[in-house]
Amino acid sequence: MEAYAVLGSMLGKSQTWVRKVIGRQPDAAIYLRDALNIRSAYDRLCARIDAASERIEGENDQLREAIDVALSASAAPHPGRPGPTQAQAAAPRGAGPPAAPALVRPRARTLVPADQPSVDVNDLPLWRAIEGE
């Protein structure tokens, strides 16, 4: 019943009128002004959903990039690459500077889910549309 009241307030009509129109009662009339108000409310709702969808898609892209960076940084050595043999790994090292790795990857700042704003059920676009935000 609350949805009828919300929809009616968006259209400038009562919830009884909305119930009659949805129920296709013969005494319910939709005038041109009402049809234009319905179309306007629909356009506003679609615009809000599109904007929220684009925002969420952008956030998803950032998360995908962060996952790719995290996975590539912690990837195991490729199976085709030769690793050190047991004799080389167990051989004692003499005095001298420590061996530097052949390839040093710079650490990129990764986005952690804690850095992202939490999304509640009430933040979903369809829920906000129903609530009239």
Side-chain angles (χ1 to χ4, degrees), residues 86-110:
Q86 286 182 348
Q88 291 172 339
R93 294 189 177 188
L103 176 64
V104 178
R105 294 184 184 182
R107 290 198 156 212
R109 172 155 163 49
T110 60

Side-chain angles (χ1 to χ4, degrees), residues 11 33-46:
L11 302 175
R33 175 179 40 95
D34 301 329
L36 292 174
N37 287 343
I38 291 170
R39 179 62 186 201
S40 175
Y42 178 77
D43 288 341
R44 287 191 311 267
L45 175 62
C46 288

Side-chain angles (χ1 to χ4, degrees), residues 9-32:
S9 69
M10 291 171 67
L11 302 175
K13 293 291 189 175
S14 68
Q15 64 182 2
T16 306
W17 181 86
V18 173
R19 280 197 312 268
K20 284 182 180 182
V21 169
I22 291 175
R24 296 184 180 181
Q25 293 184 3
D27 61 333
I30 299 178
Y31 298 106
L32 179 61

Side-chain angles (χ1 to χ4, degrees), residues 25-115:
Q25 293 184 3
D27 61 333
I30 299 178
Y31 298 106
L32 179 61
R33 175 179 40 95
D34 301 329
L36 292 174
N37 287 343
I38 291 170
R39 179 62 186 201
S40 175
Y42 178 77
D43 288 341
R44 287 191 311 267
L45 175 62
C46 288
R48 286 183 15 217
I49 290 173
D50 287 342
S53 174
E54 289 175 10
R55 180 182 51 82
I56 290 170
E57 188 63 34
E59 292 172 0
N60 285 344
D61 289 342
Q62 288 177 346
L63 288 174
R64 283 187 198 106
E65 290 174 9
I67 289 171
D68 289 343
V69 168
L71 290 176
S72 67
S74 66
H78 191 272
R81 292 186 203 151
T85 63
Q86 286 182 348
Q88 291 172 339
R93 294 189 177 188
L103 176 64
V104 178
R105 294 184 184 182
R107 290 198 156 212
R109 172 155 163 49
T110 60
L111 296 176
V112 187
D115 293 342

